[in-house]
Amino acid sequence: NAGVTQTPKFQVLKTGQSMTLQCAQDMNHEYMSWYRQDPGMGLRLIHYSVGAGITDQGEVPNGYNVSRSTTEDFPLRLLSAAPSQTSVYFCASSSQRGRMNTEAFFGQGTRLTVV
Amino acid sequence: SQQGEEDPQALSIQEGENATMNCSYKTSINNLQWYRQNSGRGLVHLILIRSNEREKHSGRLRVTLDTSKKSSSLLITASRAADTASYFCATDPFYGNNRLAFGKGNQVVVIP
């Protein structure tokens, strides 16, 4: 059981380039999220999904797109990379048990540097 | 804005001592969760306490929740060097969907 898998683990981009961070979970969780983690800022929510075909913006959505065509996958697209997007990105998934929200499971992160 | 705010931000203790961290939040919640992050790794869930619970235990961890004060505390008893990590509180807001809001984290260093 792999849990939440993120690829790649490391990436260097030039300003203006685009790329997609991949996230896949094998736990049949309905909720999936993308966070970015910057020093001293904790984790900030970028985008969020409550199920296939449904996405919503989080706290810091500008410059990022997401889609959720399947339950398992939730890719994050950087449209035109900027140095301000240098960060560590985490994908998470969670579910409900008996209509009660449960804990989130996190991927190992993608460390992105934009030069 | 961050929902949870941990206090203190950094803590250095001797092995065997207890470590206590506090978290405050602003809005109504379904539950509050604590996570640990080792350097360069992903977050690992430690404990979840629901809004109708006041205290919860898991091994050497004890979490309290005071919804009237909108605060929570995490106690790690008999700390070990392996407990060295950053600890985050996260709130699941009342309107649901498990849209977690994280605090800035609390770095704990346990000195052997």
Side-chain angles (χ1 to χ4, degrees), chain A residues 32-46:
Chain A
M32 294 187 76
S33 307
W34 276 103
Y35 294 87
R36 60 177 288 174
Q37 184 177 29
D38 302 294
M41 297 293 293
L43 275 77
R44 292 183 291 171
L45 182 65
I46 305 171

Side-chain angles (χ1 to χ4, degrees), chain B residues 30-95:
Chain B
N30 278 320
N31 65 67
L32 186 143
Q33 304 175 30
W34 285 91
Y35 290 81
R36 183 186 74 228
Q37 183 181 36
N38 293 97
S39 180
R41 307 296 297 272
L43 278 74
V44 174
H45 177 259
L46 294 176
I47 198 163
L48 180 155
I49 186 165
R50 303 202 184 278
S51 61
N52 61 353
E53 298 175 312
R54 292 297 167 258
E55 187 171 314
K56 204 160 184 181
H57 296 256
S58 177
R60 293 184 295 111
L61 305 179
R62 173 178 168 255
V63 168
T64 62
L65 179 65
D66 187 335
T67 53
S68 67
K69 295 181 180 177
K70 291 186 167 60
S71 67
S72 173
S73 68
L74 170 67
L75 168 67
I76 305 173
T77 60
S79 62
R80 304 167 181 169
D83 294 329
T84 294
S86 292
Y87 293 82
F88 294 87
C89 71
T91 50
D92 175 15
F94 186 71
Y95 50 81

Side-chain angles (χ1 to χ4, degrees), chain A residues 37 48 57 94 101-102 104, chain B residues 35 37 50 92 97-99:
Chain A
Q37 184 177 29
Y48 178 81
Q57 294 182 349
S94 61
N101 293 339
T102 64
Chain B
Y35 290 81
Q37 183 181 36
R50 303 202 184 278
D92 175 15
N97 291 335
N98 219 357
R99 188 171 161 150

